[in-house]
Amino acid sequence: MAVHIVPNGKQNQIIGVMDDALKIRLRAPAVEGKANDALLRFMATSLDVSQSAICITQGHTNKWKLLEVRDAHLTLEKINGKLLSFFCQ
């Protein structure tokens, strides 16, 4: 899953889609891995999986990242459904 991170926001939230990537605003600053940690916590909570089920596979030091979700019970359809629910609130 491709994501575009916007650090130093007022709250953690999914704000839309940008260039085929999920755009996510995080409260954490982009220093010393704080934004990466916040991203993993936020996505784990959003998808209702453990934090260890999500890893950053590319872009550790970039605003553009690729995430991998490893959970046998979570299909692509379920991921899409959970993320789409943010836009329907």
Side-chain angles (χ1 to χ4, degrees), residues 15-72:
I15 55 177
V17 177
M18 179 178 174
D19 297 329
D20 294 330
L22 197 60
K23 191 170 183 179
I24 301 172
R25 183 175 291 132
L26 297 172
R27 292 184 66 202
V31 294
E32 299 175 3
K34 290 182 182 181
N36 287 345
D37 292 340
L39 172 64
L40 294 176
R41 281 192 309 274
F42 176 67
M43 291 305 295
T45 301
S46 299
L47 296 174
D48 195 29
V49 297
S50 70
Q51 190 172 331
S52 63
I54 300 176
C55 67
I56 299 171
T57 58
Q58 290 182 8
H60 291 294
T61 59
N62 197 316
K63 290 182 180 183
W64 294 92
K65 302 177 186 300
L66 285 180
L67 302 180
E68 183 176 332
V69 181
R70 298 179 190 153
D71 188 297

Side-chain angles (χ1 to χ4, degrees), residues 66-81:
L66 285 180
L67 302 180
E68 183 176 332
V69 181
R70 298 179 190 153
D71 188 297
H73 303 292
L74 197 59
T75 64
L76 183 57
E77 290 80 21
K78 287 182 182 178
I79 291 172
N80 287 337

